[in-house]
Amino acid sequence: MSSSVHVIRARSEDIAEYRRSMACLNALMKQWEAVNQQYSEVDALKIEQIRQRFEEMKQYQKDIHRYSAEAFAHLTEQIPGMIEFVRQDIEQMQEALIEQHTVQRQHQRAQQENAAMLLNLLQQRMPEQQTLLQQLDEVTKGEQTSSAEKILSQAILMIGQQPARLTEAQQALAQRLKEPMSEGQQAIMQQGDHHSSQSLQRIDRHIAELTVLDPQQDIALFMQRAAELDRLTQDSNWNMLKDSLILDLAQATRHARIVTEKRQQLGLLLAGLESYHSPAISALIERLNLVLTSRELQPLIEAITVAQAATEQQQQDIAALARREAVLDGLAKLGYEVRESDAEAWLDDGKVVIRKPATPGYGLELAGAKGSERFQVRAVAFSEQRDTQLDADIESIWCGEHQQLQQILAETGDRLTVERALAAGESPLKVARPADVPAEQVDYRYRGEGSRSLD
């Protein structure tokens, strides 16, 4: 064949993509481990299985080149699925943590309400118990959380030891506080104040979300407003303050979820960029890392756009060079003269011409766009003043060499296929200048308009 279009996929570009993907997975696993440490009800078996799978995937990094192309491709295809699985597991654990925090806040509120009733009771009947009264007052304000249960138990015990000092109604109240409520009793109480209970639960849920999703965020003002609601009488003013707090919390949690998602996305992109070990990329990473802690959405979105563009550019540059080096290395093994600068020249000029000592006066022109897997190969002559009867032989030689090139590339995990080709003799040979010969030393004239090519 005189001219052909090929598709090339170089193993080294697959290796670069594997390393980038594994860097992303490694960064995500660190986040996953951090969430695991916060969650007290983890599934130990599941955790061990995930860690084991991650370690198995990392083993490939130790000696990538010893694995077959098929085995390596199979592994690389699994990484995105593993990343998505770990991401979803992080979200599930965060939701469980949010639920835990919500229950804790509701339990604390119940403690505060019980402490308030006991405080009122003791102030009326046992005002001399100043230390206990002060401790109960602190519990009603959300303080003494670690010892709240002990303080409540102490107050109930003291009241129980002196029933004569209580009225009949006060004794009934003390007994109710002493005995845990049944599920039926809890349901009746909740029905009695269903709307306010639901509202408080929504507030607890939002505060828990902010606590889990963005631990560094200052939510003191929200906490103060929620505590104020607990102290106020539930009237029309209470409803207005409650609705205002819920709206503000809902907006804050929506923002926190989006920011958390964007931070994770940017973090994985930066981890992937680090795998390229490029000085220029390192400077970019350093600059974008400053945005990772931002709570403003726009800077995060802009940084993600920049990081995505840098990733795509790196992928394109690596792939373009890797494909050209693979093809040129293969041709060198077939006896063609290939210089170290030929791959870069092909990138810069869009084409390169190489010669073969065994076929003086003839060579190959390799041409292709930088970002494309496709490239064109054509047999060329170096002079118009030649025996054109040899042209058909040269084209036949290249036809055989093409099959050898495919085999050579396959041995190193590179994949070369022919997309289309012109048969030998179907088009006159183009006259071209070898890469190592100055233009003024070559008998070079462009082909006529009647010549055919695959350009």
Side-chain angles (χ1 to χ4, degrees):
M1 53 188 173
S2 62
S3 180
S4 53
V5 173
H6 303 260
V7 176
I8 175 71
R9 180 75 181 182
R11 182 178 175 86
S12 56
E13 65 178 291
D14 291 336
I15 291 174
E17 182 57 22
Y18 162 78
R19 287 174 173 156
R20 188 197 68 82
S21 298
M22 283 301 297
C24 294
L25 178 57
N26 186 61
L28 194 62
M29 284 296 294
K30 289 180 180 178
Q31 182 183 348
W32 179 82
E33 291 286 3
V35 176
N36 270 327
Q37 293 177 5
Q38 301 174 45
Y39 186 39
S40 59
E41 299 179 7
V42 295
D43 183 340
L45 178 59
K46 184 191 74 172
I47 295 301
E48 183 57 33
Q49 289 175 338
I50 292 175
R51 286 174 178 159
Q52 182 178 350
R53 179 59 184 143
F54 177 56
E55 290 301 320
E56 289 173 356
M57 297 176 81
K58 287 202 302 184
Q59 291 301 313
Y60 279 78
Q61 296 182 92
K62 294 182 178 180
D63 190 6
I64 293 176
H65 295 281
R66 73 184 178 91
Y67 295 99
S68 68
E70 291 75 15
F72 183 74
H74 179 66
L75 171 72
T76 304
E77 291 169 358
Q78 295 180 46
I79 299 176
M82 182 68 173
I83 289 175
E84 184 57 30
F85 175 82
V86 174
R87 194 199 311 272
Q88 291 178 4
D89 199 55
I90 289 173
E91 291 178 357
Q92 290 172 5
M93 286 190 292
Q94 285 176 331
E95 287 302 313
L97 281 169
I98 290 169
E99 185 62 28
Q100 282 184 351
H101 280 268
T102 303
V103 171
Q104 288 170 5
R105 281 191 54 79
Q106 292 170 350
H107 180 65
Q108 183 181 354
R109 178 179 292 107
Q111 288 180 333
Q112 291 174 274
E113 292 172 353
N114 290 342
M117 288 187 284
L118 288 168
L119 178 62
N120 182 55
L121 196 59
L122 286 175
Q123 284 174 336
Q124 295 178 37
R125 296 299 176 178
M126 302 178 189
E128 73 279 3
Q129 301 294 331
Q130 289 299 308
T131 300
L132 184 56
L133 288 170
Q134 181 180 352
Q135 290 174 334
L136 285 170
D137 183 59
E138 291 172 350
V139 174
T140 64
K141 297 175 182 177
E143 303 170 6
Q144 294 276 11
T145 53
S146 60
S147 55
E149 291 290 349
K150 182 180 178 181
I151 294 170
L152 292 175
S153 298
Q154 183 181 351
I156 292 171
L157 179 62
M158 182 168 292
I159 291 171
Q161 290 173 346
Q162 302 185 49
R165 300 177 65 176
L166 305 177
T167 65
E168 185 176 340
Q170 289 171 337
Q171 289 182 29
L173 174 60
Q175 184 63 28
R176 180 165 64 84
L177 292 173
K178 185 176 181 181
E179 297 177 354
M181 286 190 294
S182 67
E183 292 184 4
Q185 289 173 320
Q186 291 176 0
I188 291 172
M189 290 188 64
Q190 289 172 358
Q191 289 173 4
D193 195 11
H194 181 68
H195 180 70
S196 62
S197 176
Q198 274 194 331
S199 298
L200 292 174
Q201 287 175 9
R202 289 175 65 187
I203 291 171
D204 292 337
R205 167 77 184 187
H206 284 313
I207 291 176
E209 286 182 88
L210 293 176
T211 302
V212 171
L213 297 175
D214 191 2
Q216 304 304 318
Q217 182 176 356
D218 184 5
I219 60 172
L221 182 58
F222 288 134
M223 298 288 286
Q224 290 171 8
R225 292 169 64 182
E228 184 67 18
L229 283 177
D230 290 336
R231 289 191 290 269
L232 293 175
T233 302
Q234 295 188 13
D235 53 16
S236 58
N237 183 57
W238 185 90
N239 286 329
M240 182 179 68
L241 293 174
K242 174 260 297 179
D243 291 341
S244 175
L245 177 56
I246 289 176
L247 286 173
D248 291 344
L249 279 170
Q251 182 178 2
T253 51
R254 280 195 300 270
H255 182 77
R257 283 191 176 276
I258 296 173
V259 167
T260 299
E261 177 188 339
K262 297 302 180 185
R263 280 177 176 172
Q264 184 185 79
Q265 185 180 359
L266 178 58
L268 297 192
L269 283 167
L270 294 180
L273 285 171
E274 287 177 356
S275 70
Y276 295 126
H277 304 292
S278 164
I281 290 297
S282 297
L284 176 64
I285 292 171
E286 185 176 353
R287 177 166 62 86
L288 296 182
N289 261 323
L290 299 176
V291 186
L292 265 180
T293 56
S294 173
R295 290 189 177 87
E296 297 296 326
L297 190 56
Q298 194 57 37
L300 284 167
I301 292 174
E302 291 173 358
I304 287 169
T305 301
V306 172
Q308 286 175 331
T311 300
E312 292 170 2
Q313 188 62 56
Q314 285 292 309
Q315 289 171 327
Q316 184 183 95
D317 291 346
I318 288 172
L321 185 59
R323 293 164 188 168
R324 284 154 178 77
E325 287 179 339
V327 171
L328 289 169
D329 286 347
L331 290 172
K333 293 175 182 177
L334 290 174
Y336 286 87
E337 291 182 348
V338 176
R339 300 175 302 168
E340 291 184 3
S341 60
D342 283 346
E344 291 289 350
W346 187 355
L347 280 174
D348 295 338
D349 302 333
K351 63 182 179 181
V352 68
V353 178
I354 59 175
R355 67 170 78 213
K356 185 175 184 181
T359 55
Y362 294 92
L364 293 178
E365 180 186 75
L366 312 171
K370 182 176 181 179
S372 175
E373 291 184 334
R374 293 174 176 79
F375 69 99
Q376 181 178 356
V377 182
R378 80 172 94 198
V380 295
F382 297 144
S383 175
E384 292 280 6
Q385 308 301 319
R386 68 183 189 280
D387 183 0
T388 56
Q389 293 183 351
L390 296 176
D391 291 0
D393 296 333
I394 295 298
E395 291 176 330
S396 297
I397 290 173
W398 164 237
C399 185
E401 287 180 336
H402 162 262
Q403 296 177 350
Q404 293 177 270
L405 180 62
Q406 280 184 309
Q407 294 172 356
I408 291 171
L409 294 178
E411 291 172 0
T412 54
D414 304 308
R415 301 183 295 278
L416 179 69
T417 57
V418 179
E419 194 169 79
R420 62 185 189 274
L422 292 179
E426 196 169 337
S427 175
L429 288 190
K430 175 183 176 180
V431 176
R433 172 172 60 89
D436 58 343
V437 176
E440 61 271 14
Q441 297 181 13
V442 178
D443 177 13
Y444 178 83
R445 288 191 293 275
Y446 286 101
R447 295 168 55 189
E449 293 180 0
S451 298
R452 296 178 57 197
S453 75
L454 295 175
D455 287 339

